[in-house]
Amino acid sequence: MYVPPKHAVEVDEAWRIVEEAGAGLLVVAGPEGLRSVFVPVVVSRDRTVIRSHVARANGWWRSVGDGADVLALFLTASAYVSPSYYPSRFENPNVVPTWNYVAAEIHGHATLHDEPQWKSDQVLSVTEKFESGREPMWRAEDLNDHYREQQIRAIVGVEIVVKSIEGKAKMSQNRPDEDRLSVREHLAGRSLTERNTSRLMAPPE
């Protein structure tokens, strides 16, 4: 990922992007070319591993050899920025459209897991993460044993040992304060993804 210094984020912030995204796109190179799958992930406490699972019916996992290189992509903000948002254009009309976004990518090595206990533990960690704070809280343990076992058999576990992580926040940092404030205000009144981008844009200091 190309990251100019003004758009770079610290490692801790990159991990916060992963956690806030919750799910990401896992990309591998297989015999038939690049393959991707979008899945929720759980990050280990020491941030050395991310774990997930895919449907057995999804052929993505068949492209993953043991130790295969994986690129995991996470996005928490994404919005088109029109030059019409820039008040400065009246003094300098030489401005062009751009895109604001916040993203992180992880490079790692994947291992597949088909052990029932591993997959059961992973599903439990996923539901605990995303059900936390909900009322009522849905619990996999409440399922009928036979049905739960069927569901576990229908997935394949994915474990990615993290090699590197990089984050980027391209949020109009290269524009004057009046332009950044205007972009933030314009996006705040538009679509859900644009409003979310506005929320993540820090106001000019």
Side-chain angles (χ1 to χ4, degrees), residues 107-120:
H107 290 258
H109 302 294
T111 301
L112 298 177
H113 287 275
D114 208 17
E115 312 93 297
Q117 188 60 56
W118 192 99
K119 293 188 293 183
S120 180

Side-chain angles (χ1 to χ4, degrees), residues 15 18 24-28 35 37 39-44 46-54 60 64-74 105-113 118 122 156-165:
W15 280 111
V18 173
L25 197 67
L26 307 184
V27 182
V28 296
R35 302 287 300 274
V37 64
V39 290
V41 301
V42 175
V43 179
S44 65
D46 61 4
R47 295 174 170 175
T48 61
V49 173
I50 59 175
R51 297 182 178 91
S52 188
H53 63 267
V54 300
W60 179 89
V64 182
D66 196 33
D69 288 332
V70 176
L71 176 64
L73 305 171
F74 303 87
E105 67 176 34
I106 289 173
H107 290 258
H109 302 294
T111 301
L112 298 177
H113 287 275
W118 192 99
Q122 199 278 325
V156 176
V158 183
E159 185 172 47
I160 299 171
V161 175
V162 176
K163 182 179 176 182
S164 64
I165 183 171

